[in-house]
Amino acid sequence: MRTSQPQTIYLNDYRVPAFLVDHVDLRFELFEDGARVHSVLSMRRNPDSGDRSGALELDGDSLRLESVALNGSPLSAGQYEDHGDRLVVAGVPEAFELAVVTWIEPQNNTRLEGLYKSSGMFCTQCEAEGFRCITYFPDRPDVMARFRTRIEADKTAYPILLSNGNDTEQGDLADGRHYVTWEDPFPKPCYLFALVAGNLLEKRDTFTTLSGRAIDLRMYVEPRNAEKCDYAMDSLKRSMRWDEQVYGREYDLDIFMIVAVDDFNMGAMENKGLNIFNSSCVLASQDTATDLAFQRIEAIVAHEYFHNWSGNRVTCRDWFQLSLKEGFTVFRDSQFSSDMGSPTVKRIEDVTLLRTAQFAEDGGPMAHPVRPASYMEISNFYTLTIYEKGAEVVRMIHTLLGPELFRKGSDLYFDRHDGQAVTTDDFVTAMEDASGRDLSQFRLWYEQAGTPVLDVSDHYDAQGGTYSLSITQNIPDTPGQKDKKPQHIPFALGLLDSQGQDMALNLAGEGDEAPTERVLDLTEVSHTFEFTGVSERPVPSLLRHFSAPVRVVYHWTREQLLFLMSHDTDGFNRWDAGQRLAVDVIQSLVGAPVDAEIEPRLAAAYRQLLSDESLDQALVAKMMQLPSEAYLIELANSPDVQAIHRARERVLSHLADALRPDLLNCYQRHGTDGDYGLSPQEVSGRSLRNTALAWLLHIDDKEGRDLAIRQFGEADNMTDRLGALRALVNSGFVSDREQALEQFYQRYSEDPQVVEQWFSVQASNPATGNLEQIRRLVTHDAFDWKNPNKVRSVIGVFAGQNLASFHAADGSGYRFLAEQVSRLDNSNPQIAARLVSPLTRWRKFAPVHGEQMKTALERIRDKTGLSRDVYEVVHKSLAG
Ligand code: PHE
Ligand code: ZN
């Protein structure tokens, strides 16, 4: 716990490490009451460091130091200083061996950083700064060493002992114990170290690389999960093949292992050769996982696998460069997912997340650049900005260079920096060097925070046949950053004629050969583009494919949106036009009288979508999703959450009433016959069927109810069963809802991943997730304060998705969240800090709510012994 005010760490203070570690020899003695860690570091002074004589300083956290020896001689207490978070040894020679023994208590480690226990097994999490919770070490990513790890434990309780690399030796010890030794031939930063010990079931497969090497693939899970491994294993093989084909990257070790653990702060971790996954991101079966879960598993397995190159072989120089590996790897996994399924749908999903959550982050008190300039606690910077905006930045480079030059750039990057710890700037330089493009202005995307706003206006001159488009960019101020420079924005667009055909885009002064879609380079504050030979007033299709992470402000008429919704040749923009129309209609009803007329063309447009079977059903399924409350709130200034909630519900009821026969028809058309499969057609069929059901139950339709009850009972997969449950929970059929919830729980009470879903369904809905009900859920037998997934599925979902309840007028939701954050801060500061997020945007909300949110933040601030994690978020939110 914190004893003094947390310090801010600055990128500008970066210095190369004073000491390097060539080799690490670890021996773990694992016991029930703790673990002894013997570490031998082969170290030398760094020739590149200006500091050639200073003392050796190693990082530590929550360690009990048992002994220190230098070159084989034990040091007495006067020969080193143990500051708890630092071990200082003065007067070390040029090169030496330092042996340190520490004692740690994994069984009491509730922070889930370093070595801890989860469902009876030992496991580790070292990114970002968890290795220092295991032993004293220069815990920074630019110190890369070869690791040898020997694990000793009771053979019956822990038959499986794993670490990075290859197992080189094993044997039995006295007292029923045994050991295994692992050696990782690749130098790595300590954040990629991993260890697992447990009674685990092993699933094996093999993968043959393009060059013909056979790789041993192994999954380790608790025996009860034996039947939930296939999808992840298949996803892994698809990822390995894809990275060979698209990036020319082969796997480099002989073994690749995946372990599933129930208690995990994040989704998964890319430890070299030994990826560790949150169970919910890797285990799946038809009966227990939704389509969304399958999709997520495929993406995360790929993401962690891709890190082997973008992250492990080439890693980050310091944590300010986090997006170097995360932004690039998210870009890679989204390319992969779009190749495996529907590119348009994948783009819609990514942009939805970006616009709902990352834009909110970028407009709030925690806003930071893709490459931050300072932080207090690095765990707080595993953000949507680093991951999703970082991926958008890489995507823009891909757009600017085109696929061939981008591949040349990534080849150069991997070749040039293999085995190094580098910066985002090195990445951009490789892209520049390979392509000959000047990306100097583009680099501002890494330095400036905030979402650029593009104001677009147009003018058509019928006489001259010219169409001009004026675009002005403006980047809002963010904490510590004002008066920003204009950024280099690739702006893709098309122009549609009245038949819905793409028109030729001839810029004044160009020849005749004109494309029908082009990417304009915005580099100045304002541009005017003049298109010539334009024979009629076009409808502009702006920012196609969402070519840059910006907000576009253009005064579309509803006619134009309806037109784009049914004609745009860019599927993404078709969807976007539908969203903009729905947003416009809902916004116009916020605070309006209850009998205010609802735009009749909206229902007509949706009817058209539902009835035209020639349309891409995957796109239709996405178009049928109304903009979320969270997105509507994000778009509003001083949002009145209750009024937004009511307006959205009204539109939903209106649409369901108007489209009732079409919805029943859609439900029947996407029937349940045939075997369960995960093709885009099957997934979108289920999505449409369940949307239809949800809409019908929203108006308490009797026929819908019967369908839902039948589907709930007869479904052969979790998507349909949960879809029916969700629809019932969202309906006014109170006793059906209670019964279904009860039956569902009885059926799946032994399965933690399904129980999480069961919690989420209730916590996300105002009818089952009012504060009183939430308080009951957290006292339910299946709830566990020590398990991050359970905390997220009730408290995180309540505060992040059940917005009408969370923003209750009396402020009770805010007070509740403050209480839970304070409680969790004692056991798991990372999770606590993440939960604060809904309160951080207090300034955005109308005065009464804002003040109550602020009071809740102050209550957290005043807690004694606040962690650095929560301290940073709360203080930054209250500052200024
Ligand atoms: N590096 C992990 C990933 O994105 C995320 C992670 C960060 C996991 C920190 C655990 C701790 O793939
Ligand atoms: Zn990652």
Side-chain angles (χ1 to χ4, degrees), residues 29-224:
E29 296 181 85
L30 304 179
F31 306 103
E32 293 314 306
D33 64 341
R36 182 165 289 113
V37 185
H38 307 253
S39 145
V40 180
L41 308 179
S42 310
M43 302 191 69
R44 62 191 157 92
R45 289 186 184 272
N46 182 359
D48 294 337
S49 166
D51 178 5
R52 306 303 302 275
S53 57
L56 169 68
E57 295 200 12
L58 302 176
D59 303 298
D61 186 347
S62 318
L63 302 170
R64 198 167 92 203
L65 181 62
E66 291 195 340
S67 67
V68 189
L70 186 63
N71 285 328
S73 315
L75 298 186
S76 60
Q79 293 174 291
Y80 61 84
E81 294 166 32
D82 179 7
H83 297 278
D85 64 347
R86 247 169 346 126
L87 177 68
V88 181
V89 187
V92 294
E94 241 342 88
F96 56 92
E97 219 176 66
L98 188 79
V100 176
V101 179
T102 48
W103 176 259
I104 53 181
E105 294 185 355
Q107 74 280 9
N108 298 325
N109 179 350
T110 56
R111 287 164 54 190
L112 315 185
E113 291 175 87
L115 180 64
Y116 63 94
K117 286 193 91 171
S118 172
S119 325
M121 69 196 206
F122 288 91
C123 59
T124 53
Q125 175 50 45
C126 294
E127 187 178 5
E129 297 180 336
F131 193 73
R132 64 183 66 184
C133 306
I134 294 174
T135 183
Y136 284 100
F137 199 80
D139 190 357
R140 42 187 291 169
D142 56 355
V143 170
M144 300 171 86
R146 280 192 187 78
F147 282 69
R148 182 196 299 132
T149 305
R150 173 173 152 129
I151 311 165
E152 304 176 5
D154 183 85
K155 192 170 181 173
T156 328
Y158 308 100
I160 301 284
L161 305 175
L162 311 173
S163 190
N164 319 84
N166 303 308
D167 44 334
T168 52
E169 210 191 320
Q170 45 198 288
D172 289 338
L173 301 166
D175 302 326
R177 293 170 67 80
H178 73 144
Y179 75 93
V180 178
T181 303
W182 291 82
E183 274 183 64
D184 184 353
F186 292 95
K188 65 167 176 290
C190 64
Y191 82 85
L192 291 173
F193 170 80
L195 174 158
V196 169
N199 185 0
L200 300 169
L201 184 107
E202 183 184 73
K203 289 267 176 178
R204 284 200 183 222
D205 209 325
T206 57
F207 176 83
T208 307
T209 67
L210 278 188
S211 71
R213 290 171 45 243
I215 313 292
D216 231 331
L217 308 180
R218 305 181 192 169
M219 273 185 77
Y220 294 93
V221 298
E222 288 174 53
R224 64 188 165 88

Side-chain angles (χ1 to χ4, degrees), residues 127 268 270 303-304 307 310 325-327 329-330 333 382 387:
E127 187 178 5
E270 70 264 24
H303 178 97
E304 306 311 332
H307 267 316
S310 48
K325 73 178 178 79
E326 297 305 346
T329 304
V330 172
D333 82 57
Y382 286 77
Y387 277 70

Side-chain angles (χ1 to χ4, degrees), residues 472-512:
T472 302
Q473 65 166 293
N474 161 46
I475 309 175
D477 293 348
T478 45
Q481 286 190 336
K482 280 214 251 275
D483 304 325
K484 295 172 198 182
K485 300 187 192 122
Q487 288 176 188
H488 182 176
I489 300 172
F491 188 87
L493 90 165
L495 299 177
L496 300 186
D497 69 16
S498 53
Q499 304 305 303
Q501 300 293 316
D502 275 323
M503 303 168 90
L505 303 180
N506 231 321
L507 280 173
E510 288 182 341
D512 288 343

Side-chain angles (χ1 to χ4, degrees), residues 798-813:
F798 167 69
Q801 291 174 38
N802 187 354
L803 299 166
S805 302
F806 175 62
H807 291 277
D810 60 3
S812 53

Side-chain angles (χ1 to χ4, degrees), residues 220-341:
Y220 294 93
V221 298
E222 288 174 53
R224 64 188 165 88
N225 293 320
E227 304 311 317
K228 289 176 145 197
C229 298
D230 293 352
Y231 194 71
M233 189 65 99
D234 288 342
S235 302
L236 174 61
K237 289 187 278 185
R238 287 195 291 276
S239 312
M240 296 178 88
R241 187 61 78 217
W242 186 91
D243 211 17
E244 294 179 338
Q245 287 167 343
V246 179
Y247 281 86
R249 300 290 127 191
E250 262 194 25
Y251 187 61
D252 52 9
L253 286 164
D254 300 332
I255 315 174
F256 186 84
M257 296 175 278
I258 287 180
V259 182
V261 306
D262 283 346
D263 304 291
F264 202 73
N265 283 344
M266 306 280 274
M269 180 62 211
E270 70 264 24
N271 316 300
K272 184 78 187 186
L274 178 55
N275 289 0
I276 297 183
F277 276 68
N278 186 323
S279 295
S280 74
C281 296
V282 65
L283 302 177
S285 69
Q286 178 178 338
D287 185 44
T288 61
T290 59
D291 294 345
L292 203 76
F294 278 109
Q295 211 184 309
R296 193 176 64 210
I297 288 167
E298 181 180 61
I300 299 182
V301 167
H303 178 97
E304 306 311 332
Y305 174 73
F306 296 157
H307 267 316
N308 191 53
W309 276 96
S310 48
N312 302 0
R313 290 287 288 254
V314 182
T315 192
C316 304
R317 186 191 74 174
D318 53 71
W319 293 119
F320 298 101
Q321 318 298 328
L322 181 56
S323 197
L324 173 82
K325 73 178 178 79
E326 297 305 346
F328 187 22
T329 304
V330 172
F331 171 71
R332 277 151 54 68
D333 82 57
S334 69
Q335 278 184 303
F336 166 76
S337 296
S338 90
D339 284 355
M340 296 299 122

